[in-house]
Amino acid sequence: MKYSIAIDGPAGAGKSTVAKIAAKRLGIPYLDTGAMYRALAVACKRHDVDVNDWDAVRAYLPKMQMEVRYTDTGEQHMFSDGEDVTPFLRTEEISQGASLVSMVPEVRDRLTELQREVAHSRAVIMDGRDICTNVLSDTPHKFFITASAEERANRRYKQLTEQGQPAEYETILADIVQRDKQDSERAYMPLVCKDDTILIDTTALSIEQAVEALLSEVHE
Ligand code: DC
């Protein structure tokens, strides 16, 4: 693999599932950049930093100690202040917090730097909201993976109920719509699909079909 693969798209579209499988098949590392914004949201919560207060978030940034590590089996873990915070990344509160801190330009610039370091000396597959448009804008392999908001809410609802967790479809859908709005309407580096990016709509696709769609483009 000479070039890295960049994937953007809204929450819950299947980006990370597709990216993980594609990374294994291509034998390259996968970086989930959303996990980095989430780890920052966890750190803010622990340090009593209000994620709605940009100045407070900015003041915390120089103290941020974030690290991405991989297990022997290639699983990405996020460390904050030396602690593995991976188990705390996936709550609704942290999802919202991540979306809010991601609006702060200085946060985006700092995390972009860290993400580019990972891709500096090797090809990687990376997903997020500004990977095609910013972090890896030089790569020819750019993808926008999406699905209807209803389908994404359905998938999340199924996932939560299968894990035996409480779930309410309407609330999940409202959260998704709210996060889409925040991520695509923020002033600095919003989520957009540009003309040079291949759109994969997974609403009616299986995971395998979505992976195939991506890999066939890469191999071409
Ligand atoms: O992909 P995710 O749902 O884990 O991302 C959580 C939030 O982080 C998302 O709502 C917006 C933000 N994010 C971002 O702004 N840029 C990225 N490259 C990745 C995530």
Side-chain angles (χ1 to χ4, degrees):
M1 263 314 286
K2 188 168 165 205
Y3 295 108
S4 287
I5 299 175
I7 305 176
D8 284 329
K15 299 187 299 289
S16 63
T17 312
V18 169
K20 267 184 208 159
I21 299 172
K24 275 223 170 83
R25 293 202 191 152
L26 294 167
I28 59 175
Y30 161 60
L31 181 68
D32 169 2
T33 65
M36 299 171 76
Y37 288 89
R38 287 170 183 271
L40 175 57
V42 169
C44 285
K45 186 171 145 95
R46 292 185 171 186
H47 291 273
D48 281 327
V49 175
D50 178 357
V51 287
N52 286 294
D53 179 347
W54 286 23
D55 284 336
V57 175
R58 282 187 188 112
Y60 172 68
L61 264 189
K63 294 174 244 168
M64 178 180 83
Q65 288 200 19
M66 181 187 295
E67 228 189 303
V68 183
R69 291 191 208 160
Y70 290 92
T71 64
D72 293 344
T73 51
E75 298 281 321
Q76 176 180 335
H77 281 241
M78 291 307 307
F79 283 74
S80 175
D81 298 319
E83 182 194 336
D84 186 353
V85 294
T86 314
F88 311 111
L89 301 180
R90 305 278 152 199
T91 65
E92 282 312 318
E93 182 194 6
I94 295 303
S95 300
Q96 266 304 324
S99 180
L100 290 169
V101 292
S102 78
M103 293 179 183
V104 183
E106 290 83 354
V107 165
R108 304 205 65 81
D109 290 346
R110 181 73 191 106
L111 294 192
T112 296
E113 247 172 58
L114 296 176
Q115 290 153 15
R116 286 194 178 136
E117 275 169 25
V118 175
H120 174 64
S121 53
R122 59 189 166 180
V124 297
I125 184 160
M126 216 184 265
D127 75 345
R129 304 290 189 289
D130 63 341
I131 311 303
C132 302
T133 51
N134 172 40
V135 181
L136 299 178
S137 55
D138 286 345
T139 182
H141 303 309
K142 297 192 185 77
F143 297 91
F144 192 94
I145 297 186
T146 190
S148 71
E150 290 74 16
E151 174 62 17
R152 288 184 280 133
N154 252 328
R155 290 176 190 167
R156 180 77 182 140
Y157 176 82
K158 249 176 99 183
Q159 190 186 36
L160 287 171
T161 45
E162 276 168 16
Q163 292 167 355
Q165 294 192 46
E168 209 185 295
Y169 174 80
E170 291 303 331
T171 312
I172 295 171
L173 179 60
D175 282 345
I176 283 182
V177 170
Q178 156 96 4
R179 211 137 66 85
D180 283 359
K181 191 170 155 58
Q182 276 167 201
D183 295 344
S184 51
E185 290 181 5
R186 68 175 171 234
Y188 193 61
M189 304 284 176
L191 171 68
V192 282
C193 179
K194 292 198 173 159
D195 287 348
D196 62 351
T197 300
I198 294 164
L199 181 80
I200 301 177
D201 185 336
T202 69
T203 308
L205 295 186
S206 66
I207 288 163
E208 185 53 36
Q209 285 171 324
V211 172
E212 275 309 314
L214 182 138
L215 289 179
S216 63
E217 290 289 344
V218 170
H219 289 135
E220 258 187 35

